[in-house]
Amino acid sequence: PSPHLYFHSLEAKTLLRVHRPEDQADPIGRLTMRKALQTGEPATGMELGRYGMFILRVVYPWRVDGELIGYIEVGERIEEILQMLRNVTEIDFLVTIDKEYLDQGQWEEEMRLLGRPVSWDTFRRKVVVSQTIEAVSSDIDTLSWEDPVFDQGHRKIRIDGRSFAVKAFPLIDVGSRVVGEFTLLYDLTAEARNLNRFVLRIVAFSSLFCAGLFCFANRILGRMDRQLLATRRELHAQVDNTSRINRQMEDEIAQRRQIEEDIKGLNEHLESRVLERTRDLEDLNRELQANKRELEAAYRDLQSKQATILHQEKMASIGQLAAGVAHDINNPIGFVTSNLEELQEYLPRLNAYIDFQERILQKTATPAQFSLVTEEKQRLRLQEILSDLDIVIEESLEGAVRISKIVQNLCSFSRADDGASRLVDLNECLESTIRITSNEWRYKATVHREYGQIPPIRCFPQQLNQVFMNLLINAAQAVSSQGEITVRTWGDADAVHVSIADNGCGISPEVLPKVFEPFFTTKEVGKGTGLGLSITYDIIRKHEGEITVESSPGEGTVFTLRLPLAGSAYV
């Protein structure tokens, strides 16, 4: 057979071919050709031809000085490769193609042109396209690589009186289709004959070996019997000597046991004395440890109360000062608001008067005089000023209202508790505190509010405002520019939950257990007293609630509060 060698143009049309040179300029649509066209790289694979020939193809882009001028394609039929493998391995091969991938007429015509027998109906679902064995058994039609038996090994079949071990593999083309099967046939007949001869030789050799071994063992056993008699006499003598030595050792052992019993009695007496003293020391140590724990608890309680008193006095002073400042600001804000409202009412009259003047001047003044007035009005940009004046007044009123709200929030935040708890909405407390602390986070963080539907709880709102303020200020100080603070509330059957989270610097694992201790702080000297979180912890505990903290360095911190709906709200 002629080798398959082609040269194709950039449009995948054949310019030169060795196999059937009369066919030229025909377009090539094979998968290997399409893959080389798409990638610009060499493409290889096994392809099923139109006439059932399975061919190994290589398509290589041909470049001259870096410019692609065409494609070289080389193909080799699989039967030529199989014959070389047969000569090397002495294993027969059989290639079958499923009929669904072939056209019967074209295939039979190709077989006749190649001088091969036409055997389309030999098998039910496949045809043989390549083989290295002359005869083929009908059992081949029952073989399939999908049969579970091939997962465990191979099958055996007989062809012309010979026994073959058969193993089938899927035949996959370059398009990843299973188009047939690749079957290996290994001749086991010669191996069976050689095995029978080997078994006969082994049996004869074993008989001769056993006879020689018997004679050898008989001589060796006689010699060993004489040696055993001599050894037995020596052992009797050694046993007598050993018995005498044992009697002497038994006397010594009896004496040693008496001594050990005496020592044991002394040890027991000493151990009882040691145990008694040890129990006394343990009782004394437990008493000392209990006293130590009581002193430590009293010291911590004293520190906490001292910190709370100091902070409450400070907050009370700040509250009084804030209330006074808020009151002083509230009066001038009222004046400004009232004046701006009156100015807003006067502005339409002023516009109407100016329009009236223009209409009178247009009727009574000369055109030159009216032109001078119009030019002066344009030079002074009087129309733009009148247009902007309304917007300026509205924005000023809005600012005055915002200042008034801030003053109201400041008054509400600084108002001392009246000594009795009351029902409050924590969402409102949080919103008021967020507005009060806005100066801490306004220029470097964004506060996200995720308020849930929560019921009112009985508490001291000003103290909880103090808790929220401490947590919000800490979150603002932890974030850098473009940070985020998330305030979330939700409720369940027996409690209301509040979480304040930031994406700031976080808290290291070794510092995290100490954050609620009085006077503990990681801030620079002069920037923190270490009382904020300690007082926060005390206030939540006195409300019979819980506070937890989760933090990862570089990722942020989350403080979560749990306040019970049925809390006692201490007095």
Side-chain angles (χ1 to χ4, degrees):
S2 301
H4 292 231
L5 177 63
Y6 309 83
F7 180 70
H8 307 297
S9 67
L10 295 176
E11 293 81 18
K13 293 184 177 180
T14 303
L15 301 178
L16 177 66
R17 62 189 296 164
V18 175
H19 179 65
R20 294 181 178 174
E22 66 277 4
D23 295 337
Q24 293 186 5
D26 54 331
I28 304 301
R30 289 188 287 267
L31 291 175
T32 48
M33 188 67 231
R34 292 205 300 269
K35 186 176 180 181
L37 285 172
Q38 292 172 358
T39 63
E41 300 293 334
T44 63
M46 301 289 288
E47 285 202 65
L48 181 63
R50 292 180 298 175
Y51 305 112
M53 294 297 100
F54 214 64
I55 301 173
L56 172 62
R57 297 187 182 276
V58 178
V59 179
Y60 191 88
W62 191 5
R63 291 180 172 86
V64 176
D65 296 331
E67 182 180 357
L68 181 66
I69 64 171
Y71 298 89
I72 295 176
E73 178 181 346
V74 179
E76 185 73 25
R77 291 183 177 180
I78 193 171
E79 56 265 25
E80 300 172 10
I81 300 173
L82 292 181
Q83 190 59 48
M84 290 188 292
L85 291 175
R86 171 66 180 85
N87 296 335
V88 174
T89 63
E90 296 184 356
I91 297 176
D92 289 293
F93 301 92
L94 186 68
V95 178
T96 59
I97 302 295
D98 291 346
K99 291 181 179 180
E100 60 178 297
Y101 296 104
L102 301 173
D103 179 87
Q104 180 178 356
Q106 290 182 347
W107 184 80
E108 290 178 345
E109 179 64 24
E110 180 68 13
M111 292 298 103
R112 279 191 286 270
L113 291 174
L114 294 174
R116 296 182 181 178
V118 178
S119 56
W120 180 268
D121 297 323
T122 302
F123 301 119
R124 179 176 55 84
R125 60 182 183 85
K126 52 192 175 184
V127 295
V128 177
V129 296
S130 297
Q131 62 190 78
T132 60
I133 187 171
E134 295 182 0
V136 178
S137 171
S138 60
D139 292 337
I140 296 297
D141 198 29
T142 64
L143 298 178
S144 174
W145 64 273
E146 296 176 331
D147 192 339
V149 73
F150 287 105
D151 296 336
Q152 304 171 359
H154 56 76
R155 288 177 55 180
K156 293 183 179 180
I157 64 173
R158 294 188 64 82
I159 302 176
D160 289 344
R162 292 189 295 168
S163 179
F164 288 87
V166 182
K167 177 70 175 180
F169 300 92
L171 194 60
I172 303 174
D173 70 353
V174 71
S176 299
R177 300 179 305 170
V178 179
V179 299
E181 294 169 351
F182 181 75
T183 306
L184 282 70
L185 300 98
Y186 182 66
D187 193 348
L188 300 175
T189 307
E191 288 188 0
R193 287 195 298 268
N194 293 334
L195 180 61
N196 291 334
R197 295 193 193 99
F198 178 72
V199 170
L200 291 174
R201 292 173 182 173
I202 289 296
V203 170
F205 175 76
S206 298
S207 300
L208 294 174
F209 179 75
C210 289
L213 184 62
F214 177 76
C215 295
F216 177 75
N218 191 30
R219 292 184 61 188
I220 294 299
L221 289 175
R223 185 182 301 171
M224 290 179 65
D225 185 52
R226 290 189 294 273
Q227 292 177 352
L228 286 174
L229 288 174
T231 304
R232 185 180 301 171
R233 286 192 292 270
E234 293 177 1
L235 286 175
H236 279 299
Q238 292 178 0
V239 167
D240 293 338
N241 188 34
T242 302
S243 297
R244 180 176 55 80
I245 295 173
N246 286 340
R247 285 192 296 271
Q248 294 176 358
M249 293 181 65
E250 286 176 358
D251 295 337
E252 292 179 0
I253 289 171
Q255 294 175 2
R256 290 182 181 180
R257 284 179 179 174
Q258 183 62 41
I259 296 172
E260 288 177 356
E261 288 178 359
D262 296 339
I263 294 173
K264 183 178 179 182
L266 292 173
N267 286 338
E268 289 177 353
H269 177 69
L270 182 60
E271 287 176 358
S272 63
R273 295 290 303 275
V274 171
L275 287 173
E276 183 179 352
R277 294 294 296 168
T278 301
R279 283 194 294 269
D280 293 340
L281 290 174
E282 287 177 350
D283 293 339
L284 181 59
N285 186 47
R286 282 194 293 270
E287 185 177 353
L288 290 174
Q289 290 293 335
N291 292 336
K292 180 182 177 183
R293 286 193 294 271
E294 290 177 1
L295 287 173
E296 288 178 347
Y299 179 69
R300 287 194 299 270
D301 188 52
L302 180 62
Q303 278 189 318
S304 176
K305 289 181 179 178
Q306 182 182 7
T308 303
I309 291 171
L310 289 173
H311 197 270
Q312 286 177 347
E313 290 295 329
K314 181 179 178 181
M315 291 301 295
S317 300
I318 293 174
Q320 291 178 358
L321 180 62
V325 172
H327 179 73
D328 290 341
I329 293 175
N330 202 32
N331 290 333
I333 284 298
F335 302 154
V336 172
T337 304
S338 177
N339 291 338
L340 287 172
E341 289 176 349
E342 289 188 8
L343 183 60
Q344 193 175 32
E345 293 179 1
Y346 295 160
L347 185 61
R349 300 180 187 179
L350 182 62
N351 286 331
Y353 179 73
I354 293 174
D355 291 341
F356 176 75
Q357 282 184 329
E358 287 185 353
R359 288 196 301 272
I360 294 300
L361 286 174
Q362 191 174 10
K363 291 179 180 179
T364 59
T366 64
Q369 292 174 336
F370 185 76
S371 176
L372 288 174
V373 171
T374 302
E375 290 176 359
E376 185 66 13
K377 181 179 178 181
Q378 292 176 350
R379 186 183 69 81
L380 296 175
R381 300 173 64 186
L382 188 59
Q383 191 62 40
E384 295 180 14
I385 293 173
L386 292 174
S387 300
D388 291 343
L389 193 58
D390 200 12
I391 299 173
V392 171
I393 293 172
E394 287 183 3
E395 291 179 350
S396 300
L397 280 171
E398 182 182 353
V401 170
R402 289 175 62 183
I403 294 174
S404 179
K405 287 183 179 179
I406 293 173
V407 170
Q408 291 174 5
N409 290 330
L410 188 59
C411 290
S412 174
F413 186 84
S414 62
R415 188 180 301 116
D417 286 321
D418 55 7
S421 60
R422 56 193 176 92
L423 289 173
V424 297
D425 184 353
L426 290 187
N427 288 343
E428 295 180 359
C429 293
L430 282 165
E431 188 61 30
S432 174
T433 308
I434 289 172
R435 288 197 293 266
I436 290 297
T437 59
S438 62
N439 194 53
E440 295 288 336
W441 50 262
R442 178 181 302 162
Y443 301 107
K444 62 177 182 177
T446 302
V447 174
H448 301 284
R449 300 165 174 84
E450 299 179 6
Y451 298 148
Q453 296 293 330
I454 57 174
I457 67 168
R458 182 166 294 279
C459 65
F460 292 93
Q462 301 309 123
Q463 295 185 14
L464 291 184
N465 283 346
Q466 183 178 343
V467 169
F468 301 149
M469 181 182 70
N470 290 342
L471 296 179
L472 284 168
I473 290 176
N474 283 352
Q477 292 174 349
V479 300
S480 57
S481 59
Q482 305 301 319
E484 293 186 355
I485 302 173
T486 302
V487 180
R488 191 165 75 93
T489 61
W490 72 95
D492 54 29
D494 55 357
V496 170
H497 302 265
V498 179
S499 74
I500 298 177
D502 64 73
N503 63 345
C505 59
I507 305 173
S508 62
E510 58 271 12
V511 171
L512 195 61
K514 304 178 183 179
V515 294
F516 295 117
E517 294 181 3
F519 303 107
F520 177 81
T521 180
T522 58
K523 299 175 183 175
E524 299 176 3
V525 176
K527 291 190 177 181
T529 62
L531 296 176
L533 290 180
S534 173
I535 293 173
T536 294
Y537 180 83
D538 269 351
I539 292 174
I540 297 301
R541 187 181 61 180
K542 290 175 182 177
H543 278 79
E544 297 185 355
E546 298 175 0
I547 179 170
T548 57
V549 57
E550 297 177 4
S551 183
S552 297
E555 297 182 8
T557 305
V558 181
F559 283 91
T560 304
L561 312 179
R562 180 186 178 276
L563 296 167
L565 295 176
S568 65
Y570 68 98
V571 178

